[in-house]
Amino acid sequence: MRSETLSSKKGSLPRSLALWLGIAIALLVVGRSLRSTPAAPTAESPVHFVDITRSAGINFTHYTGAFGKRYLPETMGAGCAFIDYDNDGRPDILLIDGADFPGHQTRRTTLKLYHNNGDGTFTDVTAKAGLDVPMYGMGVAVGDYDNDGWDDIYVTGLGEARLFHNEHGHFRDVTKTAGVNNAGFGASAAWVDYDRDGKLDLFVRPRRPAQILLHARGLPGRYLPPVPQSRQRALRGCHREVGHLRSDVEIAGCRGDRLR
């Protein structure tokens, strides 16, 4: 019995090796066939983008003003906008830049406005257009707030905001007279005629819980001042019934996601 058991074990060993060897050969054959099979051609997208920034004449690098303190504005990009500022039918490019922090001035940075030449290139017309203004900009909103047919610019920023009135291709700072400065940390803004009176109102989103809605007065280019933050309510879901906001806009009438 002992000799039969040993012989059976000796006989089973070659069969086991043959089994594993067969599996290895099969995997090798399949792997080679997969490598030799050409990949199926993929359909090319009809749209293909090429970076032409430099060749188009755009020479801009956003500056954060970072100097080691790791302030929040350093981590955020800035806004940009297409605007046909001279009404020639071609969209021009406006780029918002940062700046140095107080006490750490190393360079002068400004907004950048590039005029569309109509041939795929752009020309820097910042100074010529009156936008050679240093500020720590964040967001930008474009709109013809006084209905004169020329798009105006509102720029939010750190410690200030600016409204530039478009005077036939040249911009004038009218922030103070219009009453739309925001001395806090303005992140973004938008023009909206929320009460459908034909005049654009200004919605500003600071980096704080409360928003600011400035209602256009009857006089062109004049805005009611924002209500103190103690009286403001967060505007959540106001887009649902925006036409029913109170006309005096005490920033209004929103409670949760319903309007007063």
Side-chain angles (χ1 to χ4, degrees):
M1 289 292 293
R2 184 176 180 82
S3 60
E4 290 177 1
T5 303
L6 288 175
S7 64
S8 64
K9 289 183 178 180
K10 290 179 181 178
S12 64
L13 185 61
R15 286 196 296 272
S16 176
L17 287 175
L19 176 62
W20 286 110
L21 183 60
I23 293 174
I25 293 173
L27 291 174
L28 180 63
V29 171
V30 171
R32 285 188 173 181
S33 64
L34 290 176
R35 287 196 299 269
S36 61
T37 303
T42 58
E44 292 188 4
S45 171
V47 179
H48 182 68
F49 291 93
V50 177
D51 187 351
I52 60 169
T53 309
R54 297 297 182 187
S55 60
I58 306 296
N59 183 20
F60 176 83
T61 301
H62 179 252
Y63 180 62
T64 66
F67 64 98
K69 294 295 184 179
R70 300 182 180 179
Y71 292 136
L72 176 62
E74 302 171 13
T75 68
M76 304 171 63
C80 62
F82 284 102
I83 173 176
D84 183 10
Y85 81 97
D86 56 353
N87 281 351
D88 65 355
R90 298 188 294 266
D92 311 296
I93 298 176
L94 176 65
L95 302 173
I96 310 303
D97 206 356
D100 284 313
F101 290 94
H104 294 272
Q105 282 76 20
T106 62
R107 68 183 72 180
R108 186 180 187 273
T109 54
T110 71
L111 311 175
K112 286 292 183 180
L113 178 64
Y114 288 91
H115 177 258
N116 189 336
N117 299 322
D119 58 0
T121 65
F122 293 80
T123 300
D124 186 344
V125 294
T126 308
K128 181 180 178 182
L131 293 177
D132 187 26
V133 178
M135 66 176 295
Y136 203 116
M138 296 302 301
V140 59
V142 174
D144 180 12
Y145 75 89
D146 58 348
N147 293 333
D148 65 353
W150 297 79
D151 281 338
D152 311 296
I153 301 169
Y154 184 77
V155 182
T156 63
L158 180 61
E160 65 176 328
R162 292 179 184 266
L163 175 62
F164 296 98
H165 181 246
N166 189 342
E167 300 179 350
H168 299 264
H170 186 274
F171 293 91
R172 181 169 60 93
D173 189 340
V174 295
T175 310
K176 185 176 180 180
T177 57
V180 291
N181 189 26
N182 173 27
F185 183 6
S188 59
W191 296 103
V192 54
D193 181 9
Y194 82 92
D195 55 354
R196 300 183 181 179
D197 64 354
K199 300 186 293 290
L200 288 180
D201 309 299
L202 182 60
F203 182 81
V204 181
R205 180 62 172 94
R207 291 292 300 176
R208 307 181 67 163
Q211 287 81 254
I212 299 173
L213 180 63
L214 299 171
H215 178 252
R217 282 178 172 171
L219 296 175
R222 299 275 184 169
Y223 285 79
L224 291 172
V227 172
Q229 291 185 4
S230 60
R231 299 173 62 191
Q232 294 181 15
R233 289 183 171 86
L235 294 176
R236 301 189 188 98
C238 291
H239 60 282
R240 298 184 186 178
E241 303 174 47
V242 74
H244 298 287
L245 278 170
R246 295 186 337 201
S247 61
D248 59 354
V249 199
E250 288 192 345
I251 209 121
C254 276
R255 183 175 297 157
D257 63 350
R258 299 290 296 177
L259 293 170
R260 253 189 336 199

